[in-house]
Amino acid sequence: MSCKEDKMRKGLTYLLMILIVSSFSAVAAHCQETIFVHVWDQFGYKGMTAGAPAMEKVVNEYMKLHPNVKISRTFYDPIAMREIYLLAIKAGEEPDLAYTWPQGAVMGKLAGAGELYPMTEMAKEFGWFEKLTDLAISYCSYKGDLYAYPFEQDYFGLYYNKDLFNELGLEVPRSYEDLLKLRQKAQDAGYATLAFGNREMWEATNVLSMLFALVAGKEKEEELFFGDAKWTDSEFVEAAQTFRDWADQGFFPAGFNSLTCGERISYFSRGKALMELGGSWVIEPHFEMDFDVGVIMFPQIKKNLPQATMQGVGSGWQISADAPLKVQKEAARFLDLLDSEQFMKIWIEEGKVVPIRKKINWAQYDVPQVMKTFYEEGEKITDVSGYDLHTNLPESVTDVLYRNLQMMLGGTISVQEFLGRMQEAWEKAKAAQEIYLP
Amino acid sequence: MHASTRYRKVWKNAGSLLFILPALLFYLSFVLIPVLQNVVFSLFEWQGPSGHFVGIANYVRLFQDPIFYNALIHNVIWVSLTLLFPLGIGLVLAATLVKVRHRTSIAAIYFVPRTVPFVVSGAIWGLMYNYEIGLVNFLLDEIGLSSLKRVWLADPSITLYALNFLGAWTFFGFCSLILLNALQNVDPCLYEAAEIDGASSFHQFRYITIPMLKNTIIFLIVYSTIAAMTFFDLVHITTQGGPGYATDVVSLYIYRLVVREGKIAYPATISVMLSIIILGFTLVVIRLRRED
């Protein structure tokens, strides 16, 4: 065999080997690297969290940047998501990534049971801790680790019907005394002062959370949640009594305990109330009302405590602990893009969803004034604002809170009975080591 | 018996057993074993995946639980009202319709509410019961009965009954259709003979219709009781057991404990107790029927 032939044979053999290896790796790369990420979210087109247009853009952009990743979305109604997700977790059928609520105690329980993927390392890698607020990080942490990505800033305030105020010759209240005086004038003119509904039970919890911040103060709340204060302490009694007084004095529509959140918004949109107790998470329906809508934060109530509101992180992104590691990492990378500066404008302008930031420059966003005002005013009182009760309480206490608060407002039980039952449930939860500590 | 005959009989039975085996296995896997598993769960206390035996401690807790008693009383009220109204109305309707032409078509119209999913009925009736814009209060206004207007879904003294009315609306058509079917099988000669003997319509109903429908009525009583003791969706959609605990029922309580609170042992205990109550009632009815 000549040397030339030998070289040719060797060359051909090498070529063949290279071809075989490269085709195998191409097939393997194709098979291994197509990563499917199943996502459940609450972004629809109308009402609460109407962020679907923004979410769709983020998903498409991510799949364009990462052609080997396929993201499938499933939409769930925001109210239903809470229970659907918990059921799915119990059945081991949860998605890889879910946008669900509440964080705090419920998230902590899931994290403690090993159901959630800890995101601390990813958060450090992507610099999430630098852009998110401390309160949001705390709501999504359990035993020092981050288990959910806080995304939406929630504030609680007062929407008001500007046209109706003008028509009745009334001034928008600047103090709590002004607000109290409005009731009689509103009633005389045939309107409710505050549109409010509580059939779904969580709505009154938001109002009580705000009243705890205004009447008891954030420090006292922290003594309750993380210290030895009692639900029956005088500050909490006063806060609950204030709420009960509003109900008794006719601040709310008749039968408020039978109105759902949607019916409450509808009540306000039909011009039946001067103002509406509501959160920033339902801001979208307020853009389309037949009258001009304004918003203020609830006025200061106690002279020794600052104006405050309830601020929460209703929903957060959670990654399943059962998902394969590469899917978990892909989900985290997806979250990083979802909440990047690149998409901030799209979320705010097209999704009407405000991602959590330490400071937002509202001048650069083209959104209705009511939205800007809500977040600018909320941001001013962030440091003194209080906790969202049903985020901080374990579910066993939340159930007692929901039902007994509804009864207290309906007049079936007294303020003292309500808070007594809360204290009893709180002690039981403490004994069962169910209390949530970030 | 000759050995070969006995062998043939055993073989014949084995063949029958073979045919029912798939269904039996299915029943064992998805009904009997989970039921037994539930009983076992109720005897343990669970901390995550591990449990320790606590005997009847969960049953002792159950007998001291005011929320359980409150929910059970609501179920009993619901059962009583279901037996009284949808079944009663269904019986009268069936007895009336049996003499009418196109009776099956008419009964089918009454059956329509049953075909609407409870979730949809609940959502629609939730709006109809709205104090301000709901149809119920609007109609009361229109017919001059404004004094009867109520906050139907927020007044603890009436909300359970308002929901039961909605339940009756979905159920009476079903009862009338089943009873009408049974009535059509009653020999008309019995009514002709009674007429000749001068029996009034009421006496015909009392002494012919009801006795001839006894088996169907017993079936409906057992069926309605099981449905009423375990009903869930209407309450969950409309009031979630509220205001407060005014419309709370046992299934909803179990659901809250399992789904919201993530408990296993105590809701299993309540489920076992609910099964015992339903089984006990059914056995009593069957026994009474046999004695009769």
Side-chain angles (χ1 to χ4, degrees):
Chain A
M1 192 186 288
S2 70
C3 186
K4 201 178 171 185
E5 276 181 330
D6 192 35
K7 275 183 182 170
M8 265 181 70
R9 190 174 293 143
K10 270 186 178 171
L12 277 172
T13 312
Y14 285 137
L15 193 68
L16 198 65
M17 277 172 71
I18 290 167
L19 275 172
I20 290 168
V21 168
S22 58
S23 56
F24 264 116
S25 32
V27 169
H30 182 74
C31 294
Q32 282 172 3
E33 289 183 11
T34 302
I35 298 171
F36 292 91
V37 183
H38 300 283
V39 181
W40 287 6
D41 66 61
Q42 309 164 29
F43 298 116
Y45 292 89
K46 282 275 168 201
M48 209 184 287
T49 53
M55 183 67 184
E56 282 162 6
K57 283 192 176 171
V58 181
V59 170
N60 291 336
E61 179 68 16
Y62 193 83
M63 291 201 291
K64 207 165 86 184
L65 291 170
H66 305 271
N68 62 326
V69 179
K70 299 277 172 247
I71 295 175
S72 65
R73 275 186 67 211
T74 304
F75 163 79
Y76 284 105
D77 171 77
I79 302 295
M81 175 62 101
R82 177 184 187 168
E83 289 181 359
I84 290 171
Y85 183 68
L86 288 174
L87 270 176
I89 285 245
K90 278 187 210 326
E93 297 291 332
E94 76 274 20
D96 304 314
L97 177 64
Y99 188 55
T100 183
W101 69 288
Q103 302 314 307
V106 175
M107 181 274 310
K109 195 168 179 181
L110 296 178
E115 301 283 5
L116 304 180
Y117 171 66
M119 294 191 232
T120 314
E121 289 308 313
M122 301 299 270
K124 284 179 188 163
E125 187 186 326
F126 292 124
W128 292 346
F129 292 131
E130 281 75 52
K131 68 177 173 186
L132 299 169
T133 63
D134 292 344
L135 184 81
I137 292 166
S138 140
Y139 269 140
C140 293
S141 299
Y142 175 72
K143 293 192 173 171
D145 265 320
L146 188 76
Y147 281 95
Y149 187 90
F151 182 55
E152 249 178 290
Q153 182 67 63
D154 287 346
Y155 291 115
F156 199 75
L158 274 176
Y159 294 100
Y160 65 93
N161 181 335
K162 286 185 183 175
D163 294 2
L164 195 55
F165 267 87
N166 289 337
E167 193 184 310
L168 299 175
L170 299 171
E171 290 285 320
V172 178
R174 290 178 187 283
S175 67
Y176 184 52
E177 289 69 31
D178 287 349
L179 196 141
L180 293 178
K181 281 177 203 156
L182 276 181
R183 180 187 58 84
Q184 196 58 53
K185 291 173 185 167
Q187 274 178 350
D188 292 347
Y191 298 98
T193 316
L194 300 169
F196 166 68
N198 188 37
R199 189 179 347 150
E200 286 149 341
M201 301 188 206
W202 53 265
E203 299 96 323
T205 303
N206 290 150
V207 182
L208 188 69
S209 302
M210 181 188 74
L211 280 169
F212 271 21
L214 284 163
V215 177
K218 190 180 181 181
E219 280 180 22
K220 182 72 189 177
E221 279 190 272
E222 283 171 352
E223 279 177 40
L224 174 68
F225 296 137
F226 315 121
D228 294 326
K230 289 193 160 87
W231 287 85
T232 45
D233 287 352
S234 60
E235 294 89 338
F236 300 123
V237 173
E238 192 181 344
Q241 187 63 55
T242 306
F243 201 0
R244 170 68 181 266
D245 290 344
W246 293 351
D248 288 349
Q249 290 164 10
F251 272 83
F252 305 140
F256 60 85
N257 261 342
S258 71
L259 295 180
T260 61
C261 170
E263 287 172 314
R264 178 252 294 168
I265 296 170
S266 153
Y267 188 87
F268 180 66
S269 75
R270 282 182 283 117
K272 305 287 288 181
L274 282 177
M275 292 180 284
E276 180 198 354
L277 281 162
S280 53
W281 55 91
V282 287
I283 200 154
E284 193 268 345
H286 295 81
F287 300 155
E288 296 168 359
M289 291 186 179
D290 294 335
F291 49 84
D292 205 4
V293 179
V295 68
I296 53 169
M297 303 316 281
F298 203 92
Q300 180 187 27
I301 293 182
K302 301 275 284 181
K303 292 276 181 283
N304 59 334
L305 289 171
Q307 183 185 28
T309 186
M310 171 224 92
Q311 57 170 335
V313 180
S315 296
W317 293 98
Q318 298 176 358
I319 299 174
S320 166
D322 292 339
L325 186 63
K326 62 183 177 184
V327 174
Q328 291 171 332
K329 291 197 180 293
E330 210 59 61
R333 271 193 283 274
F334 171 70
L335 287 179
D336 192 55
L337 181 81
L338 177 137
D339 195 17
S340 61
E341 292 310 311
Q342 178 191 350
F343 282 99
M344 188 81 176
K345 195 172 170 67
I346 292 170
W347 278 114
I348 293 178
E349 291 183 0
E350 295 178 38
K352 310 295 180 275
V353 168
V354 180
I356 294 170
R357 289 289 184 278
K358 284 177 177 155
K359 179 81 186 156
I360 294 173
N361 176 14
W362 282 97
Q364 60 182 312
Y365 300 116
D366 180 23
V367 290
Q369 186 56 43
V370 62
M371 187 171 177
K372 279 186 187 176
T373 311
F374 210 151
Y375 286 93
E376 280 175 343
E377 294 301 309
E379 211 173 81
K380 283 180 197 166
I381 52 175
T382 291
D383 292 342
V384 290
S385 287
Y387 292 83
D388 182 7
L389 282 174
H390 62 181
T391 302
N392 265 57
L393 305 183
E395 288 285 17
S396 59
V397 185
T398 300
D399 193 55
V400 175
L401 169 72
Y402 278 177
R403 288 167 194 284
N404 287 280
L405 181 55
Q406 200 180 35
M407 287 196 280
M408 188 272 279
L409 291 172
T412 316
I413 59 170
S414 69
V415 168
Q416 284 72 19
E417 280 175 300
F418 159 58
L419 292 171
R421 290 177 192 183
M422 285 303 294
Q423 182 59 31
E424 198 182 318
W426 188 245
E427 278 164 16
K428 273 188 196 164
K430 266 187 173 175
Q433 296 180 324
E434 289 178 356
I435 301 299
Y436 167 67
L437 295 169
Chain B
M1 194 187 286
H2 195 269
S4 66
T5 318
R6 199 161 54 225
Y7 175 76
R8 265 203 305 275
K9 202 164 182 180
V10 169
W11 179 243
K12 200 178 162 189
N13 285 342
S16 313
L17 274 174
L18 207 64
F19 278 110
I20 63 163
L21 195 62
L24 192 67
L25 283 176
F26 190 83
Y27 181 79
L28 280 173
S29 312
F30 295 102
V31 179
L32 208 59
I33 292 172
V35 166
L36 293 174
Q37 202 177 17
N38 216 32
V39 176
V40 173
F41 282 164
S42 72
L43 302 172
F44 284 77
E45 197 51 68
W46 298 87
Q47 291 291 335
S50 58
H52 66 273
F53 185 72
V54 292
I56 58 162
N58 284 318
Y59 290 88
V60 173
R61 178 183 165 191
L62 179 72
F63 287 115
Q64 296 166 346
D65 182 355
I67 300 177
F68 169 71
Y69 282 117
N70 172 67
L72 187 64
I73 288 168
H74 293 155
N75 274 109
V76 171
I77 293 173
W78 195 279
V79 169
S80 315
L81 293 174
T82 304
L83 295 183
L84 200 65
F85 293 110
L87 196 55
I89 293 169
L91 187 61
V92 174
L93 260 177
T96 314
L97 282 175
V98 77
K99 295 166 190 165
V100 177
R101 280 179 68 197
H102 308 300
R103 50 188 168 264
T104 314
S105 311
I106 298 169
I109 293 169
Y110 292 126
F111 188 75
V112 168
R114 190 73 180 168
T115 63
V116 180
F118 282 141
V119 174
V120 178
S121 319
I124 293 170
W125 276 83
L127 282 173
M128 284 168 60
Y129 277 137
N130 182 295
Y131 178 77
E132 193 214 0
I133 54 165
L135 188 66
V136 175
N137 279 351
F138 171 78
L139 287 176
L140 288 171
D141 260 340
E142 289 299 299
I143 59 172
L145 293 172
S146 303
S147 60
L148 294 180
K149 277 171 67 178
R150 292 286 182 278
V151 185
W152 300 101
L153 296 183
D155 181 344
S157 63
I158 55 166
T159 305
L160 186 69
Y161 304 103
L163 289 188
N164 188 264
F165 182 80
L166 158 57
W169 174 76
T170 64
F171 196 52
F172 82 96
F174 172 77
C175 295
S176 64
L177 197 70
I178 299 280
L179 289 164
L180 181 66
N181 232 3
L183 262 181
Q184 284 172 328
N185 292 328
V186 177
D187 188 351
C189 297
L190 292 171
Y191 290 101
E192 284 166 21
E195 260 185 52
I196 291 166
D197 290 344
S200 67
S201 297
F202 174 75
H203 280 104
Q204 287 178 33
F205 180 73
R206 167 74 184 82
Y207 295 107
I208 300 174
T209 307
I210 290 183
M212 295 306 286
L213 291 181
K214 200 173 74 184
N215 283 343
T216 311
I217 290 172
I218 286 171
F219 157 73
L220 280 173
I221 287 175
V222 172
Y223 179 86
S224 314
T225 304
I226 294 172
M229 287 302 285
T230 56
F231 86 98
F232 165 81
D233 27 21
L234 271 184
V235 179
H236 185 57
I237 287 295
T238 49
T239 61
Q240 295 177 27
Y245 298 90
T247 56
D248 201 12
V249 286
V250 176
S251 304
L252 192 62
Y253 185 37
I254 294 171
Y255 176 82
R256 286 203 307 275
L257 289 168
V258 175
V259 177
R260 287 272 181 94
E261 296 185 29
K263 302 274 189 330
I264 299 172
Y266 190 53
T269 313
I270 304 175
S271 304
V272 170
M273 187 50 68
L274 189 63
S275 307
I276 291 170
I277 293 169
I278 293 172
L279 204 64
F281 176 83
T282 310
L283 288 175
V284 167
V285 171
I286 291 171
R287 184 77 185 263
L288 285 175
R289 183 186 150 208
R290 276 190 191 151
E291 280 177 8
D292 200 26

